[in-house]
Amino acid sequence: MNKIGLSSYTEPMLSQLMAQLGQPAFRARQIFRWLHEKRAVSFAEMTDQPKALLAELERRFFIETLEVRRRQQSRDGTVKYLLRLPDANCIETVWMRYSYGNTVCVSTQVGCRMGCRFCASTQGGRVRNLTAGEIAGEIYAAARDQGERVSHIVLMGIGEPLDNFDNVMDFLSIISSPDGANIGMRNISLSTCGLVPMIEKLAERRLGLTLSVSLHAPTNELRSAMMPVNDAYPVERLIRACRAYRETTGRRVSFEYSMVNGVNDSPETARRLARLLAGMDAHVNLIPINPVDGSPYSASDAANIRRFQTMLTQLGVNATVRRRLGADISAACGQLRRDDAGPAAAETPERPRGEFSQNA
Ligand code: SAH
């Protein structure tokens, strides 16, 4: 029998399981706390639980723990981890220090099938989705290694979180629980390349997290050239969904805009972007693109980025330039995993890169 990852169970799921096993209801909360507050890595540690229950859990379940395989330390305190999953696949997790606390950037899939032309994470396609317990395990592995608490989470690592919707929802339920890591939705940002139906579904959940949309260009011509997903969900549909998200949730939407030299950084493009986002109280994060092998793009220079920011601000759009952490370990997201030569896991991509746009 294949064992099931118990750390992927939300509290309601654990309650159901305990009922099925004929256990009193309070066991669900106790076990959840062992997994997500005390972060046990084996059932044997759960010393206040009945032996028979532990034996039954041991027989049917396992605890999803991640191991640090590689660690890259930046002078500014940023640490990039290559973490090994229970099936030997690897993903990346980043630890960042800010004045307000420690932020962990988590991956949500092994690889990605969105095909963005500037992104290293998508170059080998998607291998599989991460489970809720594995995503939580990224945070626990980083916190354990650093010996510190995590206050903020960004879902901006490898993978498209809304392409793994159900597991990501379970992860959010687990990580925000007061019986576990207790990280509030206000301290969580989820970044998407723009899967419109999933943005609509997320809005319905009214979670209170920050939705961050990777826009990168204000016109279909520019955006489709950078991101195949735009062929399925063009800019006007995407922005309509973002405006609706703001209406439904009352939360302002944040936009990521990676600046590419000579591609999306002209004054005319700034004006178009300002028109597109007019009146939606948006926040734009300008990021110099991180050049990756095999991509034709290079970063806009600092002066150009400042000029773009000033124009947006003058046109009434709130814009900031993202502080670059970990510049000296600047491997763009996905590069550490891609370049890892370690013990090969079953890495047959399910689908070729960019396939998404053709099938959607
Ligand atoms: N799939 C999600 C989240 C993961 S990517 C998304 O697309 O939003 C996190 C962010 O990094 C996205 O804004 C993505 O466009 C950006 N990104 C990816 N590769 C980059 C690169 N080489 N330089 C700058 N930003 C990059």
Side-chain angles (χ1 to χ4, degrees):
M1 180 171 70
N2 273 344
K3 291 193 181 185
I4 301 166
L6 195 63
S7 25
S8 288
Y9 276 48
T10 61
E11 282 183 293
M13 288 162 75
L14 274 179
S15 294
Q16 237 177 13
L17 177 68
M18 288 304 132
Q20 280 163 13
L21 295 175
Q23 294 289 331
F26 64 82
R27 294 265 177 250
R29 184 152 178 241
Q30 287 180 335
I31 296 208
F32 188 90
R33 294 177 91 154
W34 272 115
L35 293 169
H36 300 288
E37 189 180 66
K38 295 173 222 153
R39 302 181 187 173
V41 295
S42 71
F43 292 115
E45 290 169 54
M46 305 182 181
T47 44
D48 59 355
Q49 299 300 304
K51 289 258 165 5
L53 173 61
L54 292 182
E56 177 68 6
L57 292 178
E58 186 80 61
R59 197 175 65 79
R60 291 174 49 190
F61 297 95
F62 73 103
I63 300 172
E64 295 151 296
T65 35
L66 280 63
E67 276 165 34
V68 177
R69 192 174 143 65
R70 280 183 63 194
R71 187 191 288 104
Q72 277 186 331
Q73 173 93 42
S74 161
R75 279 187 294 275
D76 64 24
T78 303
V79 183
K80 189 164 196 169
Y81 292 100
L82 186 70
L83 299 180
R84 187 183 178 282
L85 301 165
D87 72 349
N89 273 300
C90 286
I91 42 98
E92 290 174 26
T93 304
V94 182
W95 176 277
M96 291 169 286
R97 281 168 206 282
Y98 292 98
S99 52
Y100 50 79
N102 297 318
T103 300
V104 172
C105 174
V106 293
S107 295
T108 53
Q109 296 178 313
V110 181
C112 183
R113 59 177 181 145
M114 295 297 129
C116 298
R117 311 254 189 259
F118 46 82
C119 182
S121 301
T122 199
Q123 288 180 348
R126 182 186 69 176
V127 178
R128 68 170 175 88
N129 284 331
L130 294 190
T131 64
E134 287 172 334
I135 306 172
E138 295 180 53
I139 291 159
Y140 307 160
R144 195 163 50 231
D145 191 68
Q146 295 289 323
E148 287 182 39
R149 285 182 55 82
V150 174
S151 59
H152 292 68
I153 301 169
V154 295
L155 288 85
M156 294 188 183
I158 296 170
E160 166 52 47
L162 298 186
D163 188 36
N164 183 15
F165 194 87
D166 293 341
N167 291 350
V168 165
M169 291 305 115
D170 286 351
F171 158 72
L172 292 172
S173 160
I174 289 168
I175 213 70
S176 61
S177 165
D179 292 324
N182 196 15
I183 300 173
M185 290 291 176
R186 302 270 148 169
N187 290 357
I188 301 178
S189 293
L190 182 153
S191 180
T192 178
C193 65
L195 298 179
V196 167
M198 295 296 136
I199 292 176
E200 292 165 353
K201 202 164 151 184
L202 183 68
E204 292 304 318
R205 307 280 170 120
R206 294 179 172 76
L207 290 180
L209 50 71
T210 300
L211 176 66
S212 211
V213 173
S214 302
L215 187 59
H216 304 322
T219 66
N220 286 321
E221 194 191 350
L222 276 180
R223 194 164 188 270
S224 284
M226 298 171 79
M227 307 172 72
V229 69
N230 194 69
D231 294 338
Y233 307 113
V235 171
E236 27 335 317
R237 260 192 89 186
L238 176 58
I239 298 301
R240 215 182 309 133
C242 292
R243 287 182 191 271
Y245 185 92
R246 164 117 187 86
E247 280 292 299
T248 310
T249 64
R251 304 277 300 159
R252 117 206 278 216
V253 177
S254 172
F255 292 93
E256 288 145 296
Y257 195 98
S258 295
M259 306 270 312
V260 187
N261 184 29
V263 173
N264 64 357
D265 61 349
S266 73
E268 176 52 26
T269 309
R271 275 189 287 274
R272 278 175 172 263
L273 181 61
R275 270 204 300 279
L276 183 70
L277 302 181
M280 68 179 292
D281 185 32
H283 177 260
V284 178
N285 237 316
L286 301 170
I287 309 144
I289 202 144
N290 204 338
V292 303
D293 292 348
S295 144
Y297 300 132
S298 62
S300 311
D301 62 46
N304 224 358
I305 298 176
R306 286 274 163 233
R307 201 173 323 128
F308 201 89
Q309 180 198 15
T310 306
M311 277 192 72
L312 287 179
T313 311
Q314 282 168 351
L315 293 167
V317 175
N318 185 298
T320 49
V321 180
R322 187 176 285 175
R323 189 160 73 95
R324 280 193 76 194
L325 286 181
D328 53 329
I329 52 165
S330 70
C333 181
Q335 286 187 335
L336 202 55
R337 168 175 171 266
R338 193 191 58 187
D339 300 341
D340 181 50
E347 289 221 8
T348 318
E350 290 166 318
R351 301 212 164 80
R353 155 179 200 209
E355 151 275 355
F356 180 79
S357 60
Q358 288 133 40
N359 285 0

